[in-house]
Amino acid sequence: MSMFENNKSIEKMNTNEAYFESRVDMSAPSLSVDEFLADEQTRESSTNRRDFLKFLGFSVAAATVAACEAPVTKAIPYVVKPEDITPGKANWYASNYYDGNTFASIMVKTREGRPIHIKGNTDFGFGGGGISPEIAASVLSLYDNERLKAPLISGSQSTWADLDKKVMDGLKNAGEITIVSNTIISPSTQMLIAAFSEKFGRVNHIQYDAVSYAAIRSANEKTFGLAAIPSYDFSKAKTIVSVGADFLNGWLLSNAYRVQYAKNRKPENGSMSKHYQFEANMSIAGANADERMMVKPSQYAAVLAALAEEIGASTLGVSSGEFKSNAQIKAAAKDLKANKGASLVVCGANDEALQMLTNSINNTLNNYTSTINIQDDVNLFKSEDAKMERFVSDAIAGKVKGAVIFMGTNPVYTHPKGKALGEALGKMNMTISTASWNDETASKCKYVAPDHHALESWNDFAPVRSFYALAQPTIKPIHDTAAAQESLLVWMGEATRAGRESRAYYDYIRKSWAANISGRLGADANFEEIWNLAVHNGMMEGPKAEAQAPTFNAPTQVKPAQATGSGTHEVVLYTKTSMGIGLQAGNPWLQEMADPISKITWDNYITMNYQEAKDAGYNVVMDQEHGASLAKITVNGVALELPVIPTPGQAKGTLGLALGYGRGENGEAIGRGAFKTKEYGGYEEKDGKRVAIGANAFKFVNFNGNYHYTGAASLSKIEGTYPIASTQFQLTAMGRTSIVKETTLDAYQNDDSTGYNLPHMLMTHHGPEPVSKFDLWASHPVEHIGHRWALSIDLNSCIGCGTCLIACQSENNVPVVGKDEVRRGREMAWLRIDRYYKSSDELAIGTKKEEFSFTALEKNIDENPTVVFMPMLCQHCNHAPCETVCPVAATTHSNEGLNQMTYNRCIGTRYCANNCPYKVRRFNWFNYPAYKKFTEINPSQDDLGRMVLNPDVTVRTRGVMEKCSMCVQRIQEGKLKAKVDARPVVDGDVTTACADACPTQAITMGDWNDTGSGVRKASEEKRAYQALEEIGVKPNIWYQTKVRNHSNEELRKHQQAVAAKRKHDIDKHAHNHAEGHNDHH
Amino acid sequence: MHKEAAIREPLILGHKTYHDITNDVCHPIEDKAPRMWYLLFTIAAIVGLYGVGNILYLLGTGIGTWGLNKTVGWAWDITNFVWWVGIGHAGTLISAVLLLFRQKWRMAINRSAEAMTIFAVFMAGLFPLIHMGRLWLAYWVLPLPNQFGSLWTNFNSPLLWDVFAISTYLSVSLVFWYIGLIPDFATLRDRVKNPLSKRMYSLLSFGWSGRAKNWNRFEIVSLVLAGIATPLVFSVHSIVSFDFATSVIPGWHTTIFPPYFVAGAVFSGFAMVQTLMLIMRKAFRLEAYIHTKHIEYMNIVIMVTGSIVGVAYLTELFVSWYSGVEYESYAFINRFSGPYAWAYWSMMTCNVFSPQLMWFKKLRRSMLFTFIISIVVNIGMWFERFVIIVTSIHRDYLPSSWSMFYPTPTDIGVYIGTIGLFSVFFLLFARFFPVLPIAELKTILKSSGESYKNAPDDHH
């Protein structure tokens, strides 16, 4: 089985015309390639596509340039309409995204030539087309006004001609040329760098990743003789054990792992993977685990050794210490052994010894032919840690004499010795950066040759050995930038600049594909066909090496690297699902996205064990006015001051701290959203420079052969509190039974569903009747006639990653409001993900142990709680409480079941929001697109930023209420499309942005009145329930009960008792009723 | 002629003649205003202007200048609205209900109480307007003809019922008050020397001539208006309470609200009347007309309505437990033990415990004590509305959206400002309008006046 099941081989493609046609339809219906591919004559030609792009580019550039200079106040029709741009109609293009840390295949939506929305390429994309919030939000970074608009020489704006001349002279005379780049996964760029090296002859190329996984490569080299990162397949693993690896967020190719993981988490399929997580921070993977155990990073080695002992693998001489015969490890080992060949053990430490130990376990479990494919290895993460470290030391020591070129990397920010490196760079006179922003490194370089944004450039990628992806531009370069590769070509003397029209790198990629790649994709394939198809689909897949078990050569003794230094705590550095390594710290969508675990926006902070924080006197109760306590955290002699967030599930003695913050510490122009703003607008400033949000945790990374993201830390409380902008302060669901429902896999498979999904009954004269039978109001006709749009949200599939949040924001023009407003409880998100921890007074989230222990429920959170993520949005109630109370009928029910908001009619009494039991309505407290408080952070106040707005959705004015519309514009589009095709709307024609973006397909959208639709079927599942069913508002949203694959006998007994009692009640009444009936006669 | 038992305390003290009554009421208008009036007026005007400034800032910038958030959509705005409407209840109750029940003691207080009602309703009406996100479209709440667009209002919305209830109440109260003023304006017209004042009072008195026909019509209109106004006393606050009672929010969704709100309104209205009367009788030397007996009567009303309110609070608590609904139970547990417990217990102390002290005769006849309690009651009633509104919505169904409400300076400024504006109106009223009904007082002088009451019959 292929890891990428969606893909078809090239041979099949060329022999099957029907398939060819269908593919065209499925992906991008309006792409011009359709037309010219269908036409034999044009198929011969290689220029048509580029002509089209010229047209596209020209019109876009014209519109863009006009928009940059003055606000467009009038809509001007095209004099000559570009062939493929129909005003009001979106064009979708397949492309790929790679930023040095994360890779995904994407579909870009453009309107009138502007990219406005990104979603995963689920038809053909890598790893099922899973994307992350960062990728979805990257479309906004395209329009960041702080992106470099022209090349810089010594910090001042210059011209390409000038820069090229000086750089070429410099390179000619420089001694050694060092290229520091992120991991290059572009085959063409690799070829180019090789050519560049050959041309200059003295090139030292260092690949350096901000977050390194070098230990996995070197461990595989030592144990298997293959310096590779293998492809993992979580969908095939029945037992997953992760030791400190947050594989659902950030760890390696987590965009793909999310998709794989979710496939095996649907209990309807009969089985469900069992996931054990051993970790210090409460990570996304940990929050989704069936069994989670809190361990310190220094204990990872012992945990792995204990696991190895239990399953009979070599421990490589590592002691299992205190974990020997640990019950939880035994349980995990038992499951692993039972699923030999269908299990997976991963470890998050960038530590060679631990990775070798992990290999030993996986090898014993025969996983190398099933869940792990080391032959189809990953091309990402080739960080050369030692080489980089040597370069940095040399640079600081003044020993780097020649030229240095930084490509796609920012070591002044991401390297622990970045500050010193920056100072050293300042003293060198042949430093070049190709950064798109004048970032920490670029601002220290003499020459900056700004690269395009990913959406403006051609590129190719090979994320794994067998997969070739093409990125195509979806807009002509907005600014006077040039592809970094083109710059190299120019400096080599092999190309000339041609401004925005430049095709240098495009031609180079085609040349490289013709020479090296097309052959691998099919021996007798026509290059143009392959090329056009790759552009259209965004990818081509070559033959994939079958997984073969490599020979395992166990070293007898390995030595885990211990955390250096000493301190009271161990710190674990992690990446947030929104911020990642901080590449888009200037992106306000990402800054404002609530962290899935902490629900905090616009900040980084130290996470600390809840009880420990309480005991040490840190503030544990926070709200709008009561912030967090501040503390000083010191690692390796570097100190940072940050707020402390008590976090349930954080291992005692450990601290968590996110990377990616503290960008622009010296006021570098890295994006409008990266800096603190004041209460009434304007940036907070210190010494004339803007103050960065958060602090740079990369300073805590330590080097010990590899870069390590854990270390010894000491923490001391400092005076004062710090305001926290969180979207949710409450930790538990308060034992409330009709919000979240949870059960175990055993109960789901064997017991009566009434136990865990008890329908709310009302006692009547005729016996208990389900609440859904009662109507205070006349039943809505929509419930049975025409369309009834509905959603089903699977709490089991939702991993909380938050991709839907950004998709919703991008689709619906949801305003950014900034930290101060979020702190005041006024975030505008139409869709939020509620996070509930289990309280020790609950058997499971939503099941109380006993009645009337309200205050206890609020406070006694489990030391190591289970977590439920619950996406919450407008429930589109058929008896909507908001609709009855609006005095002017601004919110009404559509005849398709939507609760719709008429912004024009709204006078802003907020009565609807008060009366909403789900609290999903959002009020425009200010005029976000104009009020000065939001100038710095709200993209719609920026001429360029405004380009990201979806023209199909109104930008709301102040004083009106807004909320989820179930993407009514998409519903309308789907209906119209069906109408044009003269057919009824079928399942799949319409989907919401959130459902479309969800990598785990937790959200299903469709027509409930269509009895064959997915959402209708989901609503009839035995897991389906409606939140707050008993208040009788009859939502159009169903939730699916969370099923945890663990044993919870107490809960199961309770649920069995509930089911038995309900059955008894109904029987008893039926009996009484029958008797009464007889008496009557 | 009406005859009153000798053991009843007289309602007009001292040896007053008809002329004395006219003089006592008209002097403050005809004389130069005392320095104190100017001082009070200046303070009130400054506070009022500060409030206007805050309102302008609010309208110019957005509702975000208040401390509201995604969870708490109403707080001080609607609290103040309900509080002022409640205060506005006493006037009409005194003039209409007490008129129908022939309570003669109302004569001393009805004029000012009605004025207070009208000004309080002005203040109340301000809040539903300024709390709108888009005030400039406020006329959309009116069922206007189609020239304004084909949209019609939503008659299901209690907020719309409010519009009708408040506007009806305001117009009826205003007419009722004005009708009562006409004979007194005529008296002033006949007395004042300043030609401008004469012209003004002449206009205001609608050509009143004092003929029997005038009096006859006056009495009939008063009675009819009293009949119309009486149900309004009960309807207004019942309808205001529907804003909450018809919702689905635990703590709001309560059938007990209409009677409980009306009792609370009378309670707070009487307290406000007490506050104002006690100041006015001193300032205008009206001790002969407003004295211990009047104060005692009003204190009894306060005590009774306070007890009704207290019973309602306890009933709510009991029902929340008895319902077995976890959201409902929690809403009330949260009220008395949650983060706003201080507001709940302030409310309980002020509204339930303090009026019970009125059982002591000595206390309910004490001017100082009454003054303090009257203020305490209004503080308590403000907290009652705050507790109902904020503590119910700040923690409703989904714990994820639980939040707190913290007022901003604009919240406070607008509220304080309405007290200032109210005072400006009331001070102007006291300066230019007869604060006691001259004509009506004269009707009870011979039956309830001290000098007549205790004199032997043959004096007549």
Side-chain angles (χ1 to χ4, degrees), chain A residues 21 32 126 133 244 483 543 586 625 718 748 765 905 1044 1065:
Chain A
E21 297 293 332
S32 75
F126 177 73
E625 296 287 316
I718 53 177
Y748 172 79
H765 177 65
R905 179 68 174 168
R1044 235 179 266 277
D1065 285 351

Coordinates of all heavy atoms in Angstrom, one line a residue, chain A residues 21 32 126 133 244 483 543 586 625 718 748 765 905 1044 1065:
Chain A
E21 N -9.5 13.0 -17.9 CA -10.6 14.0 -17.9 C -11.1 14.2 -16.5 O -11.3 15.3 -16.0 CB -11.7 13.5 -18.8 CG -11.4 13.4 -20.3 CD -11.1 14.7 -20.9 OE1 -11.7 15.7 -20.4 OE2 -10.4 14.8 -21.9
S32 N -7.0 27.2 -16.8 CA -6.8 27.3 -18.3 C -6.2 26.1 -18.9 O -6.4 25.7 -20.0 CB -6.0 28.5 -18.6 OG -4.6 28.2 -18.4
F126 N 0.4 15.9 -1.1 CA 1.3 15.0 -0.2 C 0.6 14.8 1.1 O 0.0 15.6 1.7 CB 2.6 15.8 0.0 CG 3.6 15.1 0.9 CD1 4.2 14.0 0.4 CD2 3.8 15.5 2.2 CE1 5.1 13.3 1.3 CE2 4.6 14.8 3.0 CZ 5.3 13.7 2.6
P133 N -2.4 25.6 10.5 CA -2.8 27.0 10.5 C -1.8 27.9 9.9 O -2.2 28.9 9.2 CB -2.9 27.3 12.0 CG -3.1 26.0 12.7 CD -2.4 25.0 11.8
G244 N 7.6 11.9 23.9 CA 8.0 13.3 23.8 C 7.9 13.8 22.3 O 8.4 14.9 22.0
A483 N 13.3 35.7 -7.3 CA 13.5 34.4 -6.7 C 15.0 34.3 -6.2 O 15.9 34.7 -7.0 CB 13.2 33.3 -7.7
P543 N 7.8 6.0 -8.9 CA 7.7 4.7 -8.3 C 8.3 4.8 -6.9 O 9.3 5.4 -6.6 CB 8.5 3.8 -9.2 CG 9.3 4.7 -10.0 CD 8.7 6.1 -10.1
G586 N 4.9 38.0 12.2 CA 4.2 39.2 11.9 C 2.8 39.1 11.3 O 2.2 40.0 11.0
E625 N -9.0 40.9 33.9 CA -8.2 41.9 34.7 C -7.1 41.3 35.5 O -6.2 42.0 35.9 CB -9.2 42.7 35.6 CG -10.3 43.5 34.9 CD -9.7 44.7 34.2 OE1 -8.9 45.4 34.8 OE2 -10.1 44.9 33.0
I718 N 9.1 36.8 40.0 CA 9.4 38.2 40.1 C 8.1 39.0 40.3 O 7.0 38.5 40.0 CB 10.2 38.8 38.9 CG1 9.5 38.5 37.6 CG2 11.6 38.3 38.9 CD1 10.2 39.1 36.4
Y748 N -18.5 1.5 23.8 CA -19.0 1.9 22.5 C -19.3 0.6 21.7 O -20.4 0.5 21.0 CB -18.1 2.8 21.7 CG -18.5 3.0 20.2 CD1 -19.5 3.9 19.9 CD2 -17.9 2.2 19.2 CE1 -19.9 4.1 18.7 CE2 -18.4 2.4 17.9 CZ -19.4 3.3 17.6 OH -19.8 3.5 16.3
H765 N -47.4 12.5 30.7 CA -48.5 11.6 31.0 C -48.3 10.2 30.3 O -48.7 9.2 30.8 CB -49.7 12.4 30.5 CG -51.0 11.6 30.6 ND1 -51.5 11.3 31.8 CD2 -51.8 11.1 29.7 CE1 -52.6 10.6 31.7 NE2 -52.8 10.5 30.4
R905 N -29.6 45.3 8.6 CA -30.7 45.5 9.4 C -30.4 45.6 10.9 O -31.2 46.1 11.7 CB -31.7 44.4 9.2 CG -33.0 44.5 9.9 CD -33.9 45.6 9.5 NE -35.2 45.6 10.2 CZ -36.1 46.6 10.1 NH1 -35.8 47.7 9.5 NH2 -37.3 46.5 10.8
R1044 N -12.7 7.1 23.8 CA -11.3 7.0 24.2 C -11.0 5.5 24.3 O -11.8 4.7 24.9 CB -11.0 7.6 25.5 CG -10.0 8.6 25.5 CD -9.7 9.3 26.8 NE -10.5 10.5 26.9 CZ -10.1 11.7 26.5 NH1 -8.9 11.8 25.9 NH2 -10.8 12.8 26.6
D1065 N -37.1 2.6 33.6 CA -38.1 3.7 33.6 C -39.1 3.5 32.5 O -40.3 3.7 32.7 CB -37.4 5.1 33.5 CG -36.7 5.5 34.7 OD1 -36.9 4.8 35.8 OD2 -36.0 6.5 34.7

